[in-house]
């Protein structure tokens, strides 16, 4: 057993071993994430939401990366039906860390691509001019941080899938 909770080799092995159910969750989770983040921030134009500041060019790739990585993280929650994971008294720290990182990364992506003056929290803390002057330049950094957290969550969760392989019970 390795001391590191993550391994690119184990993550790649886990992805190659995925069954159709896991790929289906990733395929459905990615566009669902894109809509859940992109619609309220109006990166995906819709009649329900609007924004005062135009969408920036980098919002689209940031949303795409967020959606793809979130789909992968969501898929790590799906286990093939033939494999039973043993019940454990406490959650495994590697999967819990990956889950928390993924959740934080997803929330950060919302703040990263959202309208800087439409965000009530930012508006209350900085005011409209502060949001445009200070928050707007930070948003691309938040997008990179969000993608990094989601990638780390995916790497940890995928690595854990092959760290202690469980054989199907008869």
């Amino acid at each position: 057993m390795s001391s590191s909770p993550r391994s690119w080799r184990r993550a790649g092995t886990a992805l190659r071993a995925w069954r159709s159910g896991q790929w289906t969750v990733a395929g459905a989770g990615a566009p669902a994430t894109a809509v859940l983040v992109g619609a309220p921030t109006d990166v995906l134009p819709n009649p329900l939401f609007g924004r005062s500041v135009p969408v920036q060019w980098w919002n689209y790739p940031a949303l795409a990366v967020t959606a793809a990585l979130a789909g992968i993280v969501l898929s790590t929650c799906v286990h093939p039906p033939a494999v039973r994971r043993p019940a454990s008294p406490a959650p495994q720290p590697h999967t819990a860390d990956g889950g928390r990182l993924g959740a934080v990364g997803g929330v950060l992506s919302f703040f990263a691509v959202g309208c800087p003056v439409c965000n009530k929290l930012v508006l209350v803390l900085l005011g409209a001019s502060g949001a445009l002057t200070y928050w707007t330049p930070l948003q691309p950094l938040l997008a990179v941080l969000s993608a990094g957290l989601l990638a780390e969550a995916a790497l940890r969760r995928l690595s854990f899938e092959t760290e202690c392989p469980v054989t199907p019970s008869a």
Side-chain angles (χ1 to χ4, degrees), residues 16-140:
R16 286 188 296 278
W18 273 12
R19 296 209 172 100
S20 63
Q22 290 162 298
W23 287 112
T24 300
V25 170
T33 300
V35 169
L36 286 172
V37 173
T41 58
D42 206 34
V43 174
L44 299 178
N46 64 83
L48 298 176
F49 299 98
R51 57 189 289 151
S52 303
V53 176
V55 175
Q56 302 297 306
W57 69 268
W58 58 266
N59 291 154
Y60 299 107
L63 182 60
V65 168
T66 295
L69 289 171
I72 291 170
V73 171
L74 288 170
S75 290
T76 61
C77 299
V78 175
H79 300 292
V83 177
R84 284 196 198 138
R85 304 273 179 184
S88 62
Q92 297 295 330
H94 303 312
T95 58
D97 287 347
R100 278 184 242 136
L101 287 174
V104 170
V107 169
L108 279 180
S109 70
F110 187 81
F111 288 109
V113 299
C115 171
V117 295
C118 302
N119 184 325
K120 304 281 189 265
L121 180 62
V122 172
L123 208 53
V124 166
L125 291 175
L126 301 174
S129 65
L132 291 171
T133 304
Y134 302 112
W135 184 253
T136 301
L138 290 177
Q139 286 182 293

